[in-house]
Amino acid sequence: MSTIKGEMIKGNEAIAEAAIRAGARFYAGYPITPSSEIMEYMSWRMQEVGGDFVQAESEIAGINMIIGGASCGVRSITASSGPGISLKQEGMTTLSDEELPAVVVNVVRYGNGIGTLLSAQCDYHRETRGGGNGDYRCIVLCPSSVQEAADLTVEAFYLAEKYRMVSVLMTEGALGQMMEPCVLPEMQTPKRFSWGFDGKYTNKKIGIFDRDSMKEAVALNEKYNRVKETEQRWESQHIEDADYVFVAYGMPGRATIGAVAQLRAQGHKVGFIRPITAWPFPEKAFEKVNPEVKGYISIEANATGQLVDDIALTVMRRGKQAGHVKAAPPVYCNPHVYGVPSVREIMEDYTKVLSGDLKEVY
């Protein structure tokens, strides 16, 4: 693999190479558009570095193999999209229950059921709430460029192991397929973690018997509260004097930054918050927003609006914490169904808010 700095590389391939360089030595999965390049890349690259690659017979088999790799203390990764990620949910709950770190890449595509092949952001609720049974959360990272996708892949492994959790890299079809310059991370020496199975070690949490679930619940909440306090990540600008604040992540977040720049140049007091972690949601980003802000505008690529719910919850909570007696500022959303909304479309959303044509959701 070339080590040229800043080389042009496709998003999916940057994620795969970054995982290799982060020390991942096991990949198991099943192909599905628009994530298949990750698997194809791993099929030859993993062999080069002495790792193991398995094309499983199904998504369910793939995630269960990841449980095996993670149990052995090996950095393990899988990737899929849409219905494939849905099929992996039970395995992700098992990883979460047994506190086994792993990285799951979701290259999001649009639609219900088997969906379509179009780039979208319609999996936000599932990934941020935990899409399977039980009380659990996954750390969810949302890149907006090929470079950030590579960087966050390395970070995903670090966070997964720091908290013994599943990290989800929630990217999008458009980002997975596009090419940009990317400085790939340095190669790390793979390591096998001491808590992995070695013929002697037994994970006492496996199974449903002889466990103090109430005690485990207390520890679980303590861990999740620690993650929420210390791992919120975001990018923001112009929020201290903003009349309106745009909130968007991923590729729409990238377009929103361009829209805000143009609107500011025209004299409009607008700012943006771009969540980099969807969970934990970056509530702290809202602390510096102009207290007289007139409203928030959620920009997202889905049919119903999902990110808008977390924005509204955060705005309401912030008001209560500050003891505000006035009503929370309105939160608007004009979902862009699928694809990446253009700068022009985002600016049109703002115009609709000012004219009253776009009504608040909350």
Side-chain angles (χ1 to χ4, degrees), residues 203-214 216:
N203 186 340
K204 295 181 180 180
K205 288 194 68 179
I206 293 177
I208 59 175
F209 303 109
D210 300 322
R211 292 175 59 174
D212 188 340
S213 294
M214 294 186 71
E216 289 176 12

Side-chain angles (χ1 to χ4, degrees), residues 9 30 61 65 77 97 99 107 178 180 214 244 256 322 327:
I9 188 169
Y30 190 80
M65 292 175 186
I77 181 172
D97 180 57
E99 295 189 292
V107 187
M178 66 187 283
E180 287 185 322
M214 294 186 71
Y244 289 90
T256 296

Side-chain angles (χ1 to χ4, degrees), residues 6-310:
E7 64 185 65
M8 291 289 290
I9 188 169
K10 182 179 281 193
N12 281 341
E13 294 180 349
I15 291 168
E17 179 61 26
I20 292 288
R21 295 186 178 214
R25 290 299 180 265
F26 183 61
Y27 181 95
Y30 190 80
I32 181 172
T33 301
S35 74
S36 295
E37 290 88 353
I38 297 174
M39 183 173 182
E40 190 278 333
Y41 191 96
M42 288 290 193
S43 69
W44 60 270
R45 183 73 171 113
M46 192 65 81
Q47 184 178 15
E48 283 190 345
V49 296
D52 292 293
F53 165 88
V54 179
Q55 178 170 326
E57 65 268 29
S58 69
E59 291 88 350
I60 296 172
I63 193 65
N64 280 284
M65 292 175 186
I66 294 299
I67 295 171
S71 296
C72 293
V74 177
R75 282 191 166 176
S76 303
I77 181 172
T78 189
S80 192
S81 181
I85 295 291
S86 290
L87 290 168
K88 293 180 185 290
Q89 292 303 313
E90 185 178 29
M92 292 169 69
T93 69
T94 301
L95 286 163
S96 301
D97 180 57
E98 297 170 15
E99 295 189 292
L100 294 171
V103 173
V104 176
V105 182
N106 180 7
V107 187
V108 182
R109 72 187 204 186
Y110 176 70
N112 304 322
I114 63 171
T116 71
L117 306 182
L118 302 165
S119 181
Q121 293 184 317
C122 56
D123 293 349
Y124 181 91
H125 278 160
R126 180 182 65 194
E127 305 309 340
T128 58
R129 267 60 182 174
N133 55 291
D135 291 329
Y136 75 100
R137 287 288 187 273
C138 300
I139 295 171
V140 184
L141 300 161
C142 308
S144 66
S145 68
V146 173
Q147 182 66 63
E148 194 170 45
D151 294 342
L152 290 180
T153 298
V154 178
E155 191 71 2
F157 281 106
Y158 166 75
L159 292 172
E161 287 149 13
K162 179 179 179 180
Y163 295 103
R164 297 287 291 270
M165 292 175 64
V166 174
S167 285
V168 174
L169 187 71
M170 185 168 64
T171 179
E172 303 155 50
L175 183 53
Q177 298 300 314
M178 66 187 283
M179 294 185 74
E180 287 185 322
C182 179
V183 178
L184 294 165
E186 295 297 322
M187 187 72 77
Q188 297 183 27
T189 302
K191 58 182 178 180
R192 189 171 180 275
F193 296 94
S194 59
W195 42 261
F197 285 120
D198 59 2
K200 300 177 183 178
Y201 171 79
T202 300
N203 186 340
K204 295 181 180 180
K205 288 194 68 179
I206 293 177
I208 59 175
F209 303 109
D210 300 322
R211 292 175 59 174
D212 188 340
S213 294
M214 294 186 71
K215 182 179 179 181
E216 289 176 12
V218 172
L220 193 70
N221 277 305
E222 288 176 349
K223 177 169 73 173
Y224 291 162
N225 287 336
R226 192 162 65 251
V227 174
K228 285 191 283 188
E229 177 60 30
T230 60
E231 303 301 344
Q232 295 180 29
R233 298 172 191 203
W234 69 90
E235 178 186 6
S236 63
Q237 198 169 8
H238 306 305
I239 58 177
E240 292 84 357
D241 71 343
D243 290 332
Y244 289 90
V245 173
F246 291 88
V247 185
Y249 70 92
M251 294 293 286
R254 181 170 169 170
T256 296
I257 293 173
V260 166
Q262 291 198 29
L263 288 169
R264 295 285 297 195
Q266 295 173 10
H268 298 280
K269 288 187 175 182
V270 294
F272 71 86
I273 295 171
R274 179 177 71 88
I276 296 173
T277 51
W279 197 89
F281 188 70
E283 297 180 5
K284 293 181 180 181
F286 292 73
E287 294 175 1
K288 294 184 179 180
V289 172
N290 177 12
E292 301 301 321
V293 67
K294 297 177 182 178
Y296 293 85
I297 305 171
S298 180
I299 302 296
E300 41 191 307
N302 53 49
T304 59
Q306 299 182 24
L307 170 67
V308 64
D309 295 343
D310 276 337

